[in-house]
Amino acid sequence: MSDRDPDILATAGRTPDRQPLDWHDGDMPYSQKFGDHFYCRTDGRLECGHVFLAGNGLPERWSPGGDFRIGELGFGTGLNFCETWRQWKLFRKPGALLHFMSFELYPMKGDEIGRALSRWPEIEAERKALTAAWPDEPAGMVDLQMDGQTRLTVVCGPAPEGVANAQPGFDAWFLDGFAPSRNPDMWSPELMQAIYGRTVRGGTFGTYAAAGFVRRNLQAAGFTVERRPGFAGKREMLCGRKPEPAE
């Protein structure tokens, strides 16, 4: 991928919509628009490790070294990025580069991100770095070099448009939109097909969602899909991979 995708850059200058938030338990954001919390009420950071990192075979897949590219639907509070960055710093090899690209329709303000992430001391360093770098008015493409081996790009706007304009080459996906029953556009056949087309052979996805139509849309796109036990008592989650050419 080039340093900056020209098609995505064309969206720069658009002012994204804002969504009103409620705050539960002091620092847990709740979307009035989608009627859903931004992360698991039990422990969103541990959920990230179970669903998105382990669901994509991480951090083990970082052991050979080399560059790695993660796509995410729904940046939200930045929790998944901060926990991924924390673990990346523990396991990355010298010279390896992580590019974390997220697609977010309603980007939060920096103070909202800071408040939402304040409950986890484990990611305090990452929270401070993210909020310090985050723009006052996030719009278009927020492109941040977080350290010498970590780049964060947040594409502000509708996910179908952002994914369609992204260059292929994603190694893993965190499918983390709001619940499919509340936000079906983030789980549509067209978007799953676009994700599949931009995923490398052998690339993977993980998601907390286990709805039948989500599984069918992922399978129809071409992914092999596996059911696994969900986090914190949730019966199931989904993960899968894009088959290698010989498969």
Side-chain angles (χ1 to χ4, degrees):
M1 176 182 170
S2 64
D3 282 347
R4 289 176 178 264
D5 289 310
D7 292 329
I8 292 177
L9 275 177
T11 68
R14 299 180 189 175
T15 301
D17 294 332
R18 300 277 297 150
Q19 63 169 321
L21 300 176
D22 290 331
W23 294 89
H24 294 175
D25 303 323
D27 53 16
M28 180 177 289
Y30 177 88
S31 169
Q32 295 180 19
K33 180 176 178 62
F34 295 104
D36 202 4
H37 291 91
F38 278 74
Y39 43 72
C40 170
R41 299 188 74 175
T42 302
D43 191 317
R45 188 184 69 86
L46 294 182
E47 180 188 39
C48 172
H50 180 89
V51 173
F52 301 115
L53 291 167
N56 280 286
L58 304 172
E60 293 81 5
R61 287 172 66 195
W62 294 330
S63 60
D67 298 351
F68 201 87
R69 191 173 173 205
I70 294 173
E72 178 189 46
L73 296 186
F75 186 69
T77 65
L79 174 58
N80 291 335
F81 168 71
C82 286
E83 176 62 11
T84 301
W85 186 22
R86 183 187 74 83
Q87 295 210 29
W88 169 248
K89 288 186 284 188
L90 293 174
F91 294 98
R92 65 192 180 188
K93 293 293 190 294
L97 300 175
L98 172 67
H99 186 187
F100 191 105
M101 176 176 279
S102 189
F103 302 88
E104 174 58 55
L105 181 58
Y106 300 110
M108 282 186 169
K109 296 280 194 175
D111 60 339
E112 295 171 334
I113 290 173
R115 179 178 177 180
L117 299 181
S118 63
R119 62 171 52 205
W120 291 287
E122 297 89 347
I123 56 170
E124 180 65 7
E126 290 76 19
R127 180 186 77 91
K128 287 182 175 179
L130 176 59
T131 55
W134 196 249
D136 292 337
E137 297 293 337
M141 188 175 74
V142 177
D143 197 36
L144 305 173
Q145 192 69 39
M146 303 306 298
D147 64 31
Q149 293 181 251
T150 312
R151 177 184 172 193
L152 169 65
T153 303
V154 180
V155 181
C156 303
E161 177 183 334
V163 173
N165 287 330
Q167 295 296 316
F170 289 92
D171 299 286
W173 285 90
F174 297 177
L175 306 183
D176 193 27
F178 285 109
S181 61
R182 296 178 172 90
N183 190 19
D185 289 348
M186 285 284 267
W187 309 93
S188 69
E190 296 77 13
L191 184 51
M192 298 303 104
Q193 290 163 9
I195 287 170
Y196 181 86
R198 283 149 187 81
T199 304
V200 301
R201 292 290 182 178
T204 59
F205 73 85
T207 179
Y208 70 87
F213 85 92
V214 172
R215 174 174 49 81
R216 291 188 293 272
N217 288 348
L218 287 162
Q219 290 174 326
F223 288 105
T224 60
V225 179
E226 174 188 353
R227 294 185 179 95
R228 290 187 186 176
F231 176 74
K234 191 173 186 296
R235 189 166 64 89
E236 290 183 339
M237 57 170 275
L238 301 177
C239 59
R241 64 194 297 268
K242 182 172 181 173
E244 300 283 359
E247 295 180 341

